[in-house]
Amino acid sequence: MKQQITIRKLCLTDLDIFYSLFSTLVNSQFSEYTTFVKKFMLTSKKAWNRNVYKTRLTRKNRLILGAFVNKELVGILEATHPEFGVSFCSWLMVEPNMHKKGVGKKLIQNWEEIMKKKGVHSLYLNADNRNLEYYKKLGFTLVGIYKKAWFGLDTLYFAKQIQEPRAANYLK
C-alpha cells in the first residue's frame, strides 16, 4: 500500500521536529563532510544551528517545507524566497527509509508550484555526483561544476526554468 505524503510549510511550532531530522540527516547522509565540518555546520553561528532555524521560522524569511507520512516528518526542503525571478534550494533531505518513494520529488514539485505562483522563472540548487541522475530526471539541467567549493568539495550546479521570465514578476 502506497503511503500518503503530505507537504506543508513548516512554522515555529515545528522547530523541534525539523531540527531533530535536519541534524540527524546532516550527520548520517552527507558522507562527503568530515565529522569536524558536520559539527561546525550544526553548532556555528555562521552555519545551520538550531537558533538560525528558529530565526528563519520566526521571520519566515526562507521557504521551509516538510514532507509528512502519518504525521511523521520524513523530508525537508529549504529554499530562498524569490530573488529577481530565481529561487535557490539549499537543502533537500529525506529519511533513508523513505528514499525512492516520491518524497523528494513531491517536495521539489511543491517548491516549484509555490515559486511559479510568486513569479519565479528559474530554480537552482547544488549537489554532488551521487545525485546527478536524480536531478536530471526531475527536469534540472547540469549547468556547471564548481571545483573545490564550500568546505573544499566539488559542487554540481543545476537549474530548471519553470516559466518564461517576465520583468513584472522579477522586478517586484
Side-chain angles (χ1 to χ4, degrees), residues 79-139:
T80 61
H81 286 295
E83 295 171 337
F84 311 111
V86 176
S87 177
F88 171 72
C89 175
S90 49
W91 292 104
L92 173 64
M93 302 177 178
V94 176
E95 280 274 6
N97 63 333
M98 296 304 294
H99 285 185
K100 299 187 182 199
K101 295 185 179 177
V103 175
K105 180 180 180 179
K106 200 158 185 178
L107 283 162
I108 295 240
Q109 287 171 336
N110 273 258
W111 172 41
E112 183 174 330
E113 289 169 18
I114 290 166
M115 290 304 153
K116 194 179 266 190
K117 289 176 186 172
K118 292 179 178 271
V120 166
H121 60 268
S122 188
L123 305 176
Y124 73 105
L125 56 85
N126 55 43
D128 66 11
N129 279 324
R130 70 178 177 238
N131 296 309
L132 175 65
E133 294 307 316
Y134 176 74
Y135 289 116
K136 283 183 174 181
K137 193 168 92 174
L138 292 176

Side-chain angles (χ1 to χ4, degrees), residues 6 19 29-30 34 69-70 88 90 92 108 111 137 155:
T6 305
Y19 203 74
Q29 290 191 337
F30 292 86
T34 65
V69 172
N70 299 326
F88 171 72
S90 49
L92 173 64
I108 295 240
W111 172 41
K137 193 168 92 174
T155 301

Side-chain angles (χ1 to χ4, degrees), residues 14-118:
D14 297 309
L15 178 62
D16 290 338
I17 61 168
F18 164 81
Y19 203 74
S20 176
L21 180 61
F22 178 81
S23 57
T24 297
L25 295 180
V26 164
N27 280 312
S28 66
Q29 290 191 337
F30 292 86
S31 57
E32 65 271 25
Y33 298 125
T34 65
T35 302
F36 178 78
V37 167
K38 290 175 191 178
K39 183 177 179 185
F40 173 84
M41 292 168 95
L42 297 171
T43 61
S44 169
K45 292 179 183 176
K46 297 179 181 181
W48 300 279
N49 69 54
R50 188 177 189 284
N51 285 332
V52 165
Y53 280 104
K54 182 177 182 182
T55 299
R56 287 180 177 177
L57 290 167
T58 300
R59 293 183 182 166
K60 300 177 184 177
N61 60 354
R62 301 284 279 209
L63 174 66
I64 303 176
L65 299 175
F68 293 83
V69 172
N70 299 326
K71 297 185 181 182
E72 179 185 349
L73 184 64
V74 298
I76 53 179
L77 180 145
E78 178 186 357
T80 61
H81 286 295
E83 295 171 337
F84 311 111
V86 176
S87 177
F88 171 72
C89 175
S90 49
W91 292 104
L92 173 64
M93 302 177 178
V94 176
E95 280 274 6
N97 63 333
M98 296 304 294
H99 285 185
K100 299 187 182 199
K101 295 185 179 177
V103 175
K105 180 180 180 179
K106 200 158 185 178
L107 283 162
I108 295 240
Q109 287 171 336
N110 273 258
W111 172 41
E112 183 174 330
E113 289 169 18
I114 290 166
M115 290 304 153
K116 194 179 266 190
K117 289 176 186 172
K118 292 179 178 271

Side-chain angles (χ1 to χ4, degrees), residues 151-170:
F151 305 109
L153 301 171
D154 294 349
T155 301
L156 306 179
Y157 277 90
F158 294 89
K160 181 177 183 180
Q161 186 173 334
I162 59 174
Q163 63 186 342
E164 285 300 314
R166 291 188 186 86
N169 291 334
Y170 60 74

